[in-house]
């Protein structure tokens, strides 16, 4: 099934920041992906899909999707909860450049192993609701220092969400002790050590003294995806960064993640992202004016 891909393109006059209600008729139904960072605010919970994983929320939550990630919100729920979608491109706020200020890279976004959502309760519900309302109002009215004010609102929202996730024990970037069963923590460590060379679940099962079937069940139960999916997501994430921030040939990047067949790598990348490695690099570099290559 082909997943619609919306590509923010400033050359067409599209905004680098969008804030819309989910019940808005303009918001498309079904699975989708975009080259924006996406934040969903569901103050009354609901059901959403991140790739092939389904999450049912019983209460308020913020949900974070990185650019090109496939996601879907169940319309039957969004029609009841007045959900809001907030999307921004790195041209508006680069979370890597501003990581020291916000701390959300690897916590809210670009985190392969954890859940995309952050439960919200207490006074924070009103705080997030007010921030979203202020952003929608500012977008509608404009005025002096319009962009600076919107960036400030967005930073505050991301900081509040990052603090909340860390309070809940998500930990910082890298090792996340205690969040998952020990065998899953060990699997994550092994993936981080070997994803560039070892792609077969049987390799990880052997290192953990498990059968591939037992490893598959345990990982699926804890992370919502199979070991194969986890390893592929990790190597695609590595390839995305290399394509976006370096001039290294695609063939060289493919070999670095253990895929000597450049054409197989391209098919795998396109299946995950929606664009071939070459198109992905060309498009994102063009709309960023080449600034990504200086990072």
């Amino acid at each position: 099934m082909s997943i619609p891909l919306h590509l923010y393109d400033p050359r067409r006059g599209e905004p680098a920041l969008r804030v819309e209600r989910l019940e808005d008729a303009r918001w498309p139904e079904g699975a989708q992906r975009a080259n924006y960072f996406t934040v969903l605010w569901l103050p009354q919970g609901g059901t959403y899909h991140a790739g092939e994983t389904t999450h049912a929320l019983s209460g308020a939550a913020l949900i974070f999707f990185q650019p090109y990630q496939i996601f879907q919100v169940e319309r039957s729920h969004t029609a009841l909860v007045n959900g809001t979608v907030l999307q921004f491109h790195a041209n508006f706020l680069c979370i890597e450049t501003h990581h020291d200020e916000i701390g959300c890279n690897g916590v809210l976004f670009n985190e392969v192993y954890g859940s995309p959502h952050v439960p919200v309760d207490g006074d924070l519900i009103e705080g997030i609701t007010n921030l979203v309302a202020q952003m929608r109002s500012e977008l509608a009215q404009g005025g002096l220092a319009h962009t600076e004010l919107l960036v400030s609102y967005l930073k505050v929202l991301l900081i509040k969400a990052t603090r909340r996730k860390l309070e809940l024990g998500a930990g910082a970037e890298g090792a996340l002790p205690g969040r998952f069963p020990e065998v899953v923590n060990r699997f994550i460590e092994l993936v981080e050590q070997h994803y560039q060379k070892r792609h077969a679940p049987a390799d990880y099962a052997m290192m953990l003294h498990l059968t591939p079937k037992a490893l598959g069940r345990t990982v699926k139960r804890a992370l919502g995806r199979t070991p194969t999916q986890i390893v592929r997501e990790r190597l695609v994430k590595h390839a995305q960064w290399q394509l976006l921030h370096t001039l290294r040939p695609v063939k060289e990047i493919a070999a670095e993640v253990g895929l000597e067949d450049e054409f197989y790598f391209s098919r795998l990348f396109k299946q995950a992202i929606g664009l071939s490695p070459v198109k992905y690099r060309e498009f994102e570099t063009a709309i960023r004016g080449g600034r990504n290559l200086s990072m």
Side-chain angles (χ1 to χ4, degrees), residues 22-237:
L22 280 173
E23 63 270 30
D24 192 308
R26 292 173 298 175
W27 184 252
E29 295 187 47
Q32 57 191 290
R33 53 186 158 193
N35 62 336
Y36 289 100
F37 291 95
T38 298
V39 182
L40 291 177
W41 169 227
L42 300 181
Q44 298 175 31
T47 299
Y48 74 95
H49 307 273
E52 299 178 6
T53 307
T54 300
H55 300 266
L57 304 170
S58 59
L62 286 161
I63 311 162
F64 299 87
F65 301 106
Q66 59 196 38
Y68 296 93
Q69 184 175 2
I70 298 170
F71 68 94
Q72 178 182 356
V73 181
E74 295 281 350
R75 295 289 290 187
S76 58
H77 292 278
T78 59
L80 299 173
V81 298
N82 296 321
T84 300
V85 59
L86 187 158
Q87 293 185 302
F88 63 97
H89 190 266
N91 282 5
F92 184 79
L93 178 67
C94 177
I95 63 168
E96 292 186 33
T97 301
H98 293 275
H99 178 68
D100 289 343
E101 303 165 50
I102 308 169
C104 66
N105 189 31
V107 178
L108 303 178
F109 301 104
N110 296 320
E111 208 271 277
V112 173
Y113 308 105
S115 168
H117 64 260
V118 179
V120 174
D121 60 10
D123 294 341
L124 190 53
I125 294 178
E126 183 178 356
I128 298 299
T129 300
N130 288 340
L131 274 171
V132 171
Q134 287 172 311
M135 294 180 78
R136 295 188 72 238
S137 175
E138 182 62 27
L139 277 170
Q141 297 178 11
L144 177 68
H146 172 68
T147 300
E148 288 76 8
L149 189 54
L150 285 168
V151 168
S152 297
Y153 287 145
L154 178 57
K155 284 184 176 179
V156 171
L157 187 148
L158 295 175
I159 290 169
K160 285 180 176 290
T162 301
R163 285 180 178 177
R164 175 63 176 159
K165 190 164 186 178
L166 295 177
E167 287 171 1
L168 292 172
E173 293 181 57
L176 303 172
R179 187 162 61 143
F180 302 118
E182 181 54 34
V183 67
V184 176
N185 284 329
R186 182 63 184 140
F187 169 73
I188 292 172
E189 292 174 1
L190 291 171
V191 171
E192 287 298 310
Q193 292 170 17
H194 302 292
Y195 72 89
Q196 293 181 332
K197 300 297 179 187
R198 294 179 181 270
H199 304 150
D203 292 339
Y204 294 93
M206 182 179 65
M207 288 186 275
L208 291 166
H209 307 291
L210 295 172
T211 66
K213 192 172 181 179
L215 176 65
R217 282 199 304 268
T218 303
V219 170
K220 178 81 174 180
R221 188 162 51 241
L223 304 180
R225 289 153 290 162
T226 67
T228 298
Q229 288 172 316
I230 294 290
V231 173
R232 286 182 177 177
E233 286 180 27
R234 186 63 186 89
L235 70 87
V236 168
K237 178 184 172 184

